[in-house]
Amino acid sequence: MCAIVGIYGNANAARLASMALFAMQHRGQEASGISSSCDGKIYTKKDKGLVSEVFDEASLDYLKGNMAIGHNRYATAGSDSVLDAQPVYAKYKLGEISIVQNGNLINKEEVRQDLIDKGAIFQTSMDTENLIHLIAKNSKDNLRDRIIEALERTVGAYCFIVQSRSKQFAIRDKYGIRPLSLGKLRSGGYIVASETCAFDLLEAEFIRDIRPGEMLIFSEEDEPESIQLYEAEFRPCAFEYVYFARPDSVIDGKNVYTTRENMGKALAFNDANSNIKVDMVVPVPDSGVPAALGYSAQSGIPFKYGIIRNHYVGRTFIEPTQEMRNSKVKMKLSPMSSIIAGKSLLVIDDSIVRGTTSKRIVKMLKEAGAKEVHFRVASPEIKYPCFYGIDTPTKEELISTKMTKDELCEYIEADSLEYLSLEDLVNAIGNDRHYALESFDGDYFVKK
């Protein structure tokens, strides 16, 4: 669930790319990197850490040229954040190349082993490096054809931006699982980015979403060239709307904030005939806020910030280890005792994945004096691992595969627990299309 950006045709390409990555820091906070291109040479700067830590004036001065690609890394446990930072750069027969990717290739191990058997030497554990080797080993005379043939051996959820010394290629898989949008910069040139919140910061005009199965080619031509590589089978990821995307982004034509507010309204509608009596609706900040506002608007129950978030602590779900996630929860969230003491609370979070965070939140609120804590989740139960880019690789990590709803309610020590149904989730986002819902229904529609 990384963030990627491409800037083409602007003298301040690297600086604009760094600003776009800053706007999309929520998509990955372990490492960041940018490659720029100038006078036939590609310059790359990448390191572990946040965007503000990796890039300073000296590094941005080094990243010369009117085109740049960038990446924020969303890590998995056990991988090296320096070696596996992107962009991935290489020299090959046609010159220099750099690639960034958002997503996950489900046939990566088979392709990698085949490449190794044929003599390839890998420097990282990233599936992105597969594409570099597939392009380099191809015998076609131009990069465009090499990319097209490399993609024929690439299966999974992906958005790629490939940069040569003079061109950029932006590609989205035929399912459109991961988001990617095109914009026009007011100061000149184009931007491609994972989320439209990057456009807002750079004052770029949104043009359109890159279509599933489409490749855009940016060159010295006035307009990017579009090639439809595959017939679209559109299945955007529902989890973008539940958790990952920033609420002010528009993902494939749908405002994220509005969809989350709709999720909260659906929860309230389902609770209308319940016997619970609560004094206030309390969000788990920040991702639970829009749903809590929707619940409050639908139910008439007051919305209160009963939990305060320390914004200098990052997102706990995307921390690479459980130990780090546990420590971050305590640092990140603080209960407002003066507001919640003696009150019955309806607490709303976006999802329950491993259950440890929810348990700590309920305990924290009761220790702060809450009389009751009724927990509501603005998504269905997550029962299946995702192989398309979310860090839930095994069923053992998903608490809803091991416990019923009642057992989980008892485990987190809540007074009641309810989830959004799958039907209500789809209606909240918009039932005009099919979604990637594999975390909820186990439908792994992308086949090797």
Side-chain angles (χ1 to χ4, degrees):
M1 304 294 292
C2 305
I4 61 173
V5 62
I7 305 289
Y8 187 90
N10 192 290
N12 294 310
R15 278 182 165 76
L16 294 174
S18 70
M19 292 172 66
L21 292 177
F22 182 83
M24 298 186 292
Q25 186 73 83
H26 59 285
R27 297 188 70 87
Q29 56 195 41
E30 185 163 353
S32 189
I34 293 174
S35 284
S36 69
S37 183
C38 182
D39 297 329
K41 180 175 175 56
I42 291 179
Y43 300 83
T44 300
K45 164 70 175 175
K46 59 182 180 179
D47 205 346
K48 61 183 179 180
L50 303 176
V51 175
S52 59
E53 298 167 339
V54 174
F55 300 106
D56 55 19
E57 282 300 310
S59 61
L60 292 173
D61 286 339
Y62 167 75
L63 295 166
K64 299 176 288 186
N66 72 342
M67 53 188 291
I69 60 174
H71 185 271
N72 285 337
R73 181 164 184 264
Y74 160 66
T76 54
S79 52
D80 189 295
S81 61
V82 177
L83 290 179
D84 288 348
Q86 296 189 34
V88 179
Y89 164 84
K91 293 182 179 181
Y92 73 121
K93 183 178 179 179
L94 299 183
E96 300 182 39
I97 191 173
S98 196
I99 300 179
V100 292
Q101 176 196 356
N102 173 24
N104 191 50
L105 307 182
I106 62 173
N107 68 335
K108 58 188 173 186
E109 296 303 331
E110 297 96 313
V111 172
R112 175 172 290 228
Q113 190 57 54
D114 181 58
L115 288 165
I116 291 172
D117 291 344
K118 293 176 180 177
I121 299 173
F122 283 81
Q123 302 294 319
T124 78
S125 63
M126 288 184 294
D127 51 3
T128 312
E129 196 176 1
N130 287 8
L131 195 68
I132 286 269
H133 284 283
L134 291 170
I135 291 170
K137 287 181 174 294
N138 192 283
S139 59
K140 296 291 185 181
D141 293 332
N142 61 74
L143 179 55
R144 174 203 304 225
D145 292 339
R146 289 187 179 213
I147 292 173
I148 291 172
E149 289 201 0
L151 290 171
E152 291 176 358
R153 295 192 61 191
T154 302
V155 181
Y158 60 79
C159 290
F160 288 112
I161 307 178
V162 181
Q163 179 168 277
S164 69
R165 294 172 295 178
S166 60
K167 295 181 179 180
Q168 275 185 15
F169 303 78
I171 308 121
R172 194 176 183 191
D173 73 71
K174 68 178 182 179
Y175 301 101
I177 299 171
R178 304 269 71 84
L180 196 63
S181 298
L182 170 67
K184 181 75 168 156
L185 292 158
R186 180 180 295 181
S187 54
Y190 291 93
I191 176 173
V192 170
S194 297
E195 289 191 35
T196 61
C197 61
F199 295 4
D200 298 335
L201 180 60
L202 273 58
E203 298 184 337
E205 177 189 359
F206 172 82
I207 297 176
R208 63 178 177 87
D209 297 302
I210 295 178
R211 292 185 291 271
E214 181 183 19
M215 177 167 73
L216 287 181
I217 304 173
F218 299 86
S219 64
E220 293 181 354
E221 301 295 328
D222 290 338
E223 300 288 335
E225 179 185 358
S226 170
I227 301 175
Q228 192 67 34
L229 300 177
Y230 308 103
E231 183 179 352
E233 300 177 39
F234 196 26
R235 295 285 292 269
C237 177
F239 222 78
E240 291 283 350
Y241 301 98
V242 171
Y243 175 80
F244 268 101
R246 242 175 63 166
D248 54 332
S249 286
V250 177
I251 303 293
D252 292 308
K254 298 183 183 296
N255 179 268
V256 175
Y257 179 92
T258 300
T259 62
R260 291 178 185 169
E261 194 175 41
N262 290 341
M263 295 171 200
K265 289 179 179 179
L267 284 170
F269 183 82
N270 294 337
D271 268 347
N273 296 321
S274 70
N275 294 322
I276 65 165
K277 302 295 181 184
V278 297
D279 299 300
M280 62 187 71
V281 179
V282 175
V284 175
D286 286 324
S287 53
V289 171
L293 286 167
Y295 192 106
S296 176
Q298 178 70 29
S299 66
I301 301 169
F303 170 97
K304 298 286 185 179
Y305 275 108
I307 305 171
I308 300 300
R309 177 186 168 186
N310 182 339
H311 284 86
Y312 295 94
V313 180
R315 304 183 90 174
T316 55
F317 175 77
I318 60 176
E319 288 296 340
T321 66
Q322 186 61 52
E323 183 179 2
M324 292 174 68
R325 286 189 287 267
N326 290 343
S327 62
K328 280 285 185 77
V329 171
K330 291 185 287 186
M331 295 168 60
K332 178 180 174 179
L333 303 175
S334 299
M336 290 276 285
S337 299
S338 59
I339 291 178
I340 66 175
K343 305 294 185 181
S344 293
L345 315 180
L346 190 134
V347 176
I348 296 185
D349 204 355
D350 59 89
S351 59
I352 295 180
V353 181
R354 299 169 180 91
T356 52
T357 298
S358 304
K359 184 177 179 69
R360 289 181 180 275
I361 288 170
V362 174
K363 181 180 179 182
M364 176 183 70
L365 291 170
K366 291 194 172 182
E367 287 177 348
K371 183 171 68 174
E372 293 179 334
V373 177
H374 299 273
F375 214 90
R376 295 294 179 268
V377 185
S379 63
E381 295 169 276
I382 299 175
K383 293 187 173 183
Y384 303 91
C386 175
F387 304 113
Y388 305 149
I390 302 174
D391 185 18
T392 55
T394 64
K395 277 196 170 186
E396 286 69 31
E397 293 188 73
L398 304 175
I399 197 163
S400 289
T401 65
K402 298 178 287 188
M403 295 185 184
T404 65
K405 184 181 71 173
D406 291 341
E407 289 170 340
L408 182 52
C409 181
E410 184 177 353
Y411 169 75
I412 67 173
E413 300 180 21
D415 292 277
S416 70
L417 171 65
E418 296 294 341
Y419 289 88
L420 197 65
S421 70
L422 194 60
E423 181 182 4
D424 284 339
L425 173 64
V426 170
N427 287 335
I429 303 172
N431 57 15
D432 56 333
R433 62 180 61 147
H434 296 292
Y435 297 94
L437 299 163
E438 69 284 346
S439 297
F440 310 118
D441 64 6
D443 178 10
Y444 298 105
F445 54 93
V446 181
K447 308 298 182 184
K448 291 185 182 181

